[in-house]
Amino acid sequence: MNSARKENPVTDALEDYLETIYLQIRDQKFARIKDIAKARGVKSGSVSPAMKRLDELGLIKYVKREYIVLTPEGEKRARRVFARHQLLEHFFKDILNMSPGAAQKDACAMEHNLSDEAMDRFVRLFEFLEVCPEGRDLLEKFRGCSRVHHDIPCMKEDCKSAHRPEISEEEQQMSISDLQPGQSGRVTQVNGQGAIRQRLLDMGVFPRVEIEVERVAPAGDPIWIKLQGYQISLRQNEAAAVMVTRV
Amino acid sequence: MNSARKENPVTDALEDYLETIYLQIRDQKFARIKDIAKARGVKSGSVSPAMKRLDELGLIKYVKREYIVLTPEGEKRARRVFARHQLLEHFFKDILNMSPGAAQKDACAMEHNLSDEAMDRFVRLFEFLEVCPEGRDLLEKFRGCSRVHHDIPCMKEDCKSAHRPEISEEEQQMSISDLQPGQSGRVTQVNGQGAIRQRLLDMGVFPRVEIEVERVAPAGDPIWIKLQGYQISLRQNEAAAVMVTRV
DNA sequence: TCTATTTGTTAGATTCATCTACCAATGGAG
DNA sequence: CTCCATTGGTAGATGAATCTAACAAATAGA
Ligand SMILES: [Mn+2]
Ligand SMILES: [Mn+2]
Ligand SMILES: [Mn+2]
Ligand SMILES: [Mn+2]
């Protein structure tokens, strides 16, 4: 990461310092070494030199042993990082329904590398999902419906029946274990929970990817499939959890 | 980043090497220093020691001057990184409609830090958007509709009229420049293009955030607003681009 | 077989981010 | 005014990731 260090000397770590300073000034009117160290989980011996670097870059004004002040440039940069953080955290927490902890952590890891273009598109998505009535409907439905895909009983009884029939009319749904060697399919759903689901996702078994069954062991247990050009093997219970349509 | 170096010695850079090796073996049946260096944009003098590290970690089998082979452990890890890459790139490109280049770049920067939970939720989203008929409909609508929010003429004439009326019935839409000092609003849309939009997004002016107009200069030009606890100033044309509902 | 080209290795340097272990300044409390 | 507790600063070390430049090995031509 941050391979663009030549053009942009503000590293991820420095951006995190800026964000921390920004928030501390906002919340307690001042920022000092001790609090920054605590907030970032580092020792004060690491913060001092970082402040020196930020000062040299013109992003903060730092006189030894005094409170840290953001320059206009630094404030702009800090707000930009914080904005990205907020946007991503909102997406993870409120759209994707992640746990607050994971949303915060993922957001803070990604905020530094998000492109302007991605920011722009996320905002468009939010406008659609949270302003357009149709988008709001969609978000509602997604929230109510996403359980269906994971064997967790759906609250709305009609949810499953409302969706499935339409699908099965056009495209026959089956699991990978229903395919014969030589047949191909496109993944539509990944069922299964816990370790099985985890392993499938780690292997890149997602909706939309195409797979081809290459070989099935006599007992039907390891099933070798080709996925994105690479061969992998699935246990029977893993294969059964993956729904596909024939292609 | 990668502050979790103690528990997990496989850094982002090493993961990228693994991913590169994985793809080269897939596509050309072998991986060697030269090609890896080229693919990753580094010099061969950087790759050799990295291969030594990966070998020590048991992720590849590397005998000097011979082709590089992934161990089962390394292959698993590589596939996991690649899976994350694919998932994010798909999201950026096909859902958010980003340019292929930016989608690829953002995905490759983020793939290392994405949590398992985020993976899981992304997959649920894809299942909804690409399997459920309702999800598919609404993805369609989003694609057609997202233009509306950005002053780009919409292809479907009825798109705007289909959405707006319903909104205005319940919630009065106005721009920030219509607010009086002391009044508050919640952002619903960020219009405007180019530099104006960019600056608004950099400052964290997104849908859903609450703003309060604190002060308006005589000429109406700088408008000071409070946003997430911090005061910022907007030009008149920036303020005019931000749609809000009163709160 | 001998040489030229390609490919990979090594050593040494740089930059960043962090640590630890001291040391220094500051500001109350008495 | 002195002393101690809090706070911040410095030096030196570590480890990751990279570079450059010189070198070595392997391969391919002639
Ligand atoms: Mn961060
Ligand atoms: Mn952050
Ligand atoms: Mn990457
Ligand atoms: Mn990648």
PDB file of all heavy atoms in Angstrom, chain A residues 16 19 108-109 111-112, ligand 1:
ATOM      1  N   ASP A  16      -3.914   8.860   9.669  1.00  0.00           N
ATOM      2  CA  ASP A  16      -4.618   8.461  10.894  1.00  0.00           C
ATOM      3  C   ASP A  16      -4.320   9.426  12.035  1.00  0.00           C
ATOM      4  O   ASP A  16      -5.202   9.750  12.830  1.00  0.00           O
ATOM      5  CB  ASP A  16      -4.230   7.035  11.297  1.00  0.00           C
ATOM      6  CG  ASP A  16      -5.028   5.984  10.530  1.00  0.00           C
ATOM      7  OD1 ASP A  16      -6.158   6.295  10.096  1.00  0.00           O
ATOM      8  OD2 ASP A  16      -4.532   4.858  10.371  1.00  0.00           O
ATOM      9  N   GLU A  19      -6.439  12.464  11.423  1.00  0.00           N
ATOM     10  CA  GLU A  19      -7.843  12.217  11.753  1.00  0.00           C
ATOM     11  C   GLU A  19      -8.042  12.265  13.272  1.00  0.00           C
ATOM     12  O   GLU A  19      -8.999  12.859  13.772  1.00  0.00           O
ATOM     13  CB  GLU A  19      -8.264  10.850  11.195  1.00  0.00           C
ATOM     14  CG  GLU A  19      -9.763  10.603  11.233  1.00  0.00           C
ATOM     15  CD  GLU A  19     -10.126   9.152  10.929  1.00  0.00           C
ATOM     16  OE1 GLU A  19      -9.236   8.279  10.911  1.00  0.00           O
ATOM     17  OE2 GLU A  19     -11.323   8.892  10.708  1.00  0.00           O
ATOM     18  N   CYS A 108     -11.795   2.194   8.788  1.00  0.00           N
ATOM     19  CA  CYS A 108     -10.550   2.900   9.084  1.00  0.00           C
ATOM     20  C   CYS A 108      -9.366   2.315   8.317  1.00  0.00           C
ATOM     21  O   CYS A 108      -8.382   2.991   8.069  1.00  0.00           O
ATOM     22  CB  CYS A 108     -10.272   2.918  10.584  1.00  0.00           C
ATOM     23  SG  CYS A 108      -9.272   4.333  11.087  1.00  0.00           S
ATOM     24  N   ALA A 109      -9.489   1.054   7.936  1.00  0.00           N
ATOM     25  CA  ALA A 109      -8.419   0.461   7.137  1.00  0.00           C
ATOM     26  C   ALA A 109      -8.522   0.916   5.682  1.00  0.00           C
ATOM     27  O   ALA A 109      -7.513   1.092   5.010  1.00  0.00           O
ATOM     28  CB  ALA A 109      -8.478  -1.062   7.224  1.00  0.00           C
ATOM     29  N   GLU A 111     -10.198   3.701   4.410  1.00  0.00           N
ATOM     30  CA  GLU A 111     -10.392   5.126   4.159  1.00  0.00           C
ATOM     31  C   GLU A 111      -9.232   5.764   3.403  1.00  0.00           C
ATOM     32  O   GLU A 111      -9.421   6.718   2.665  1.00  0.00           O
ATOM     33  CB  GLU A 111     -10.596   5.874   5.482  1.00  0.00           C
ATOM     34  CG  GLU A 111      -9.361   5.882   6.347  1.00  0.00           C
ATOM     35  CD  GLU A 111      -9.646   6.242   7.806  1.00  0.00           C
ATOM     36  OE1 GLU A 111     -10.777   6.543   8.155  1.00  0.00           O
ATOM     37  OE2 GLU A 111      -8.687   6.180   8.599  1.00  0.00           O
ATOM     38  N   HIS A 112      -8.051   5.235   3.573  1.00  0.00           N
ATOM     39  CA  HIS A 112      -6.867   5.878   2.992  1.00  0.00           C
ATOM     40  C   HIS A 112      -6.710   5.607   1.508  1.00  0.00           C
ATOM     41  O   HIS A 112      -6.034   6.342   0.810  1.00  0.00           O
ATOM     42  CB  HIS A 112      -5.613   5.427   3.732  1.00  0.00           C
ATOM     43  CG  HIS A 112      -5.765   5.510   5.210  1.00  0.00           C
ATOM     44  ND1 HIS A 112      -5.715   6.708   5.884  1.00  0.00           N
ATOM     45  CD2 HIS A 112      -6.026   4.571   6.146  1.00  0.00           C
ATOM     46  CE1 HIS A 112      -5.919   6.491   7.180  1.00  0.00           C
ATOM     47  NE2 HIS A 112      -6.115   5.202   7.365  1.00  0.00           N
TER      48      HIS A 112
HETATM   49 MN    MN E   1      -7.365   4.782   9.154  1.00  0.00          MN
END
